[in-house]
Amino acid sequence: MIRFRFVDEHRNAQGVKRMCDVLGWDRSGYYTWHANKEARQEKADAEEDLARRVRDIHTGSRGAYGARRITRKLHQQGHVVNHKRVARIMREREISGVTRRKSRCLTKQDRAAPPAPDLILRDFTAPMPGLRLVGDITYLPTAEG
């Protein structure tokens, strides 16, 4: 934590007890933080090692693999890692997969088909409600497609 880092940097000049009393911080929290310094460093080193592996796999795939495929490759190499962790590492280091597939259009217009007949001749006004009902139901799936 930043406040404990501040105490750690200035402990020779002022003393831990005095700084924690003046600032209203828990002295035992500082000592716990200080004792776990090596564990935090080991965790950060492991994270950097994993980030290096992720970058190598991503580069090996010519930038195509995303978090899930990279996770699968890591599992094949014998590393136990969650896809969410890989996604976080990729996001923090601005690594992103690229889709190389050509986008395809699912709806293709039949140019030869005649247009639907305009039964109301583009006049949408009605003298009273319920006389002219218009709508578009092309989004509904039918047996014909």
Side-chain angles (χ1 to χ4, degrees):
M1 297 188 40
I2 295 172
R3 63 183 181 177
F4 292 144
R5 200 174 311 144
F6 173 80
V7 172
D8 197 45
E9 291 171 358
H10 296 90
R11 70 180 178 182
N12 293 333
Q14 299 298 325
V16 174
K17 181 180 183 324
R18 184 173 183 192
M19 278 193 290
C20 288
D21 288 344
V22 169
L23 296 171
W25 294 341
D26 190 23
R27 199 169 22 148
S28 65
Y30 165 76
Y31 287 117
T32 303
W33 174 85
H34 189 70
N36 294 333
K37 201 181 259 190
E38 291 177 17
R40 279 193 314 278
Q41 187 61 43
E42 288 176 11
K43 186 175 179 181
D45 291 343
E47 186 92 359
E48 283 303 316
D49 182 50
L50 182 61
R52 183 185 52 77
R53 291 178 193 276
V54 166
R55 189 175 302 278
D56 290 345
I57 293 171
H58 186 262
T59 305
S61 71
R62 297 185 321 214
Y65 283 8
R68 297 218 180 231
R69 284 175 132 181
I70 289 175
T71 304
R72 197 174 310 130
K73 275 285 199 194
L74 287 168
H75 285 182
Q76 290 171 357
Q77 294 174 0
H79 301 286
V80 179
V81 65
N82 189 333
H83 70 92
K84 293 179 184 178
R85 184 175 181 197
V86 172
R88 178 183 52 81
I89 288 171
M90 290 178 69
R91 186 174 51 251
E92 288 173 354
R93 287 158 179 80
E94 297 178 356
I95 303 170
S96 60
V98 177
T99 303
R100 297 187 189 275
R101 290 185 185 146
K102 183 179 177 182
S103 64
R104 36 177 242 203
C105 182
L106 299 176
T107 306
K108 295 184 179 173
Q109 182 179 3
D110 185 7
R111 302 275 184 195
D118 186 4
L119 301 177
I120 60 171
L121 303 173
R122 310 291 299 163
D123 182 18
F124 299 106
T125 59
M128 57 197 230
L131 191 60
R132 291 188 182 169
L133 302 174
V134 295
D136 179 21
I137 59 165
T138 56
Y139 64 92
L140 296 174
T142 62
E144 295 176 1

